[in-house]
């Protein structure tokens, strides 16, 4: 960078040099193309950064606690599934607990009832939950209505089962009186018939956990691009077409999370079913988790119960992975 002076062509007076009117600063191209960046020195820290070992030692107590309450029971369950476990006696049984399960009719029936129960619950909860979320989104009383809808979910499943047990009661149950007045039910309670007991426990699950689907879907609706919706409306798309082509594809990620949460809950759920029917009448509602509870804590066959629990866990993991893979195939490829 150089300085150049421009002077007037005026003769000097009394031996003085010519007058400089202004000065022009010339910047070379090399400076403009490669500006130099000033490196600011980092301020000195009083406390030096800790090492990775230091942070690991900080997390070690929490890791040990989690390992003790989760990993240790998992391996102990596998160990029990390979033995005949009794009070004060544990004997190796050559995989007998697993080999006897295919011939156990209640085990097979428990799987069939579990699939039926989960399919009914998931279908009704997804349909009703999405409908409620769309109806509540942007409404005037959205916050108040969402808070009201969340109240059943905050109730303990055991308490919810007791509430619905009295509502279904054939003597003084209000729901039983209503269904009987409409001609839907006879004198028997909905839980006393093998044909309607499954519907009764499904309605309890739908009532309590549909708000969770609504809440997750409502959060997903907030991130739907409004410009795409407006562009479709300008092109003349109907609200249903707009929902199917724009809103629903954007809801796939949150719906997957909702389906996986409820799917895993249904595969281990026993609380309200034990209160309402206990697996009855007969074996009409004895889904696999209820049968597992009965084998383990009613007949105290802990080895056989551990084998059933391990198979249930493996199937749950496999089905969860399949759900994730189906979701990934439905997503558009990047790049």
């Amino acid at each position: 960078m150089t300085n150049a002076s421009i002077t007037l062509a005026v003769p000097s007076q009394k031996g003085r040099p010519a007058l400089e009117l202004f000065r022009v600063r010339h910047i070379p191209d090399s400076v403009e193309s490669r500006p130099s960046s000033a490196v600011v020195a980092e301020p000195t820290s009083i406390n030096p950064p800790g090492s990775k070992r230091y942070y690991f030692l900080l997390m070690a107590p929490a890791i040990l606690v989690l390992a003790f309450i989760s990993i240790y029971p998992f391996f102990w369950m596998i160990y029990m599934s390979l033995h005949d476990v009794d009070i004060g006696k544990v004997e190796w049984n050559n995989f007998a607990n697993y080999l006897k399960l295919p011939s156990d009719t209640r085990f097979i029936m428990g799987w069939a009832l579990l699939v039926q129960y989960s399919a009914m619950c998931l279908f009704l909860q997804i349909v009703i939950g999405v409908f409620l979320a769309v109806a509540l989104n942007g409404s005037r009383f959205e916050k108040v209505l969402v808070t009201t809808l969340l109240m059943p979910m905050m109730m303990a499943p055991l308490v919810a089962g007791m509430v619905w047990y009295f509502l279904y009661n054939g003597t003084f149950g209000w729901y039983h009186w209503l269904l009987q007045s409409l001609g839907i039910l006879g004198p028997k309670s909905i839980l006393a018939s093998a044909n309607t007991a499954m519907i009764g426990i499904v309605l309890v699950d739908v009532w309590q956990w549909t708000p969770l689907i609504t809440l997750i879907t409502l959060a997903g609706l907030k991130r739907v691009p409004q410009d795409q919706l407006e562009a479709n409306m300008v092109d003349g798309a109907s609200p249903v077409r707009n929902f199917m082509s724009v809103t629903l594809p954007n809801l796939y990620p949150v719906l997957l999370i909702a389906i996986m949460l409820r799917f895993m809950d249904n595969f281990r759920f026993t609380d309200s079913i034990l209160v309402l029917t206990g697996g009855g009448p007969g074996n009409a509602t004895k889904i696999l988790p209820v049968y597992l509870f009965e084998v383990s804590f009613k007949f105290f066959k802990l080895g056989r119960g551990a084998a059933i629990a391990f198979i249930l866990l493996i199937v749950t993991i496999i089905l969860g992975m399949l759900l994730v893979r189906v979701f990934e195939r439905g997503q558009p490829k990047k790049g």
Side-chain angles (χ1 to χ4, degrees):
M1 181 172 62
T2 59
N3 294 330
S5 298
I6 299 177
T7 59
L8 287 174
V10 178
S12 60
Q13 298 176 358
K14 297 182 181 180
R16 295 179 182 178
L19 181 62
E20 296 180 359
L21 293 182
F22 54 89
R23 180 174 295 174
V24 179
R25 177 172 293 180
H26 175 68
I27 301 175
D29 295 338
S30 59
V31 176
E32 293 182 355
S33 59
R34 294 187 299 273
S36 60
S37 59
V39 178
V40 181
E42 295 183 0
T44 57
S45 176
I46 300 176
N47 299 321
S51 61
K52 293 183 178 180
R53 182 181 179 184
Y54 170 74
Y55 293 118
F56 176 77
L57 292 176
L58 289 179
M59 295 187 296
I63 294 174
L64 292 176
V65 171
L66 289 175
F68 180 76
I69 64 177
S70 60
I71 298 177
Y72 171 73
F74 173 73
F75 287 105
W76 179 246
M77 177 189 68
I78 298 176
Y79 176 80
M80 286 196 303
S81 68
L82 301 174
H83 295 76
D84 287 329
V85 182
D86 202 348
I87 299 176
K89 182 179 67 173
V90 179
E91 295 181 353
W92 171 262
N93 60 6
N94 294 322
F95 300 95
N97 290 325
Y98 292 98
L99 296 176
K100 291 179 181 179
L101 290 179
S103 59
D104 187 353
T105 56
R106 292 188 179 181
F107 175 76
I108 304 300
M109 184 59 66
W111 273 114
L113 292 175
L114 178 60
V115 172
Q116 179 184 355
Y117 172 76
S118 299
M120 294 172 66
C121 290
L122 283 175
F123 176 76
L124 292 175
Q125 288 170 8
I126 293 299
V127 172
I128 299 175
V130 172
F131 174 79
L132 290 176
V134 173
L136 292 175
N137 187 32
S139 64
R140 184 178 179 183
F141 303 102
E142 178 181 349
K143 295 181 179 179
V144 176
L145 293 175
V146 169
T147 304
T148 305
L149 286 175
L150 291 179
M151 292 176 65
M153 192 178 68
M154 302 305 172
M155 189 180 298
L158 191 65
V159 177
M162 290 297 298
V163 170
W164 281 79
Y165 178 79
F166 289 114
L167 291 173
Y168 282 151
N169 190 277
T171 303
F172 52 82
W174 188 82
Y175 282 0
H176 174 78
W177 170 82
L178 178 62
L179 295 174
Q180 191 175 15
S181 300
L182 296 174
I184 300 175
L185 286 179
K188 285 186 178 181
S189 170
I190 189 174
L191 301 176
S193 174
N195 298 324
T196 57
M198 180 64 74
I199 299 175
I201 63 174
V202 166
L203 290 178
V204 177
D205 192 82
V206 170
W207 171 80
Q208 186 170 21
W209 295 111
T210 298
L212 177 63
I213 308 296
T214 303
L215 185 64
I216 296 175
T217 307
L218 193 60
L221 288 173
K222 303 299 183 182
R223 59 183 293 271
V224 175
Q226 296 299 317
D227 55 345
Q228 296 182 16
L229 294 174
E230 294 172 358
N232 266 18
M233 292 175 64
V234 170
D235 291 339
S238 63
V240 177
R241 179 64 180 174
N242 217 1
F243 175 80
M244 298 299 295
S245 60
V246 178
T247 305
L248 194 57
N250 284 279
L251 289 179
Y252 282 158
V254 294
L255 287 179
L256 174 70
I257 295 174
I259 290 173
M260 290 193 65
L261 287 175
R262 294 304 309 137
F263 161 75
M264 290 186 292
D265 281 344
N266 287 334
F267 266 57
R268 62 176 182 83
F269 191 68
T270 58
D271 304 45
S272 62
I273 299 177
L274 291 174
V275 173
L276 291 167
T277 62
N283 294 322
T285 60
K286 191 172 289 184
I287 63 177
L288 192 62
V290 176
Y291 180 62
L292 168 61
F293 178 86
E294 188 178 82
V295 169
S296 301
F297 302 109
K298 187 175 181 179
F299 302 113
F300 292 101
K301 296 180 180 180
L302 298 180
R304 188 173 185 178
I308 297 174
F310 183 70
I311 292 177
L312 184 62
L313 174 64
I314 296 300
V315 173
T316 304
I317 293 174
I318 293 173
L319 292 179
M321 294 173 63
L322 290 176
L323 281 175
V324 173
R325 184 163 297 182
V326 169
F327 167 74
E328 290 177 349
R329 288 182 179 178
Q331 290 297 304
K333 295 182 179 180
K334 296 181 179 181

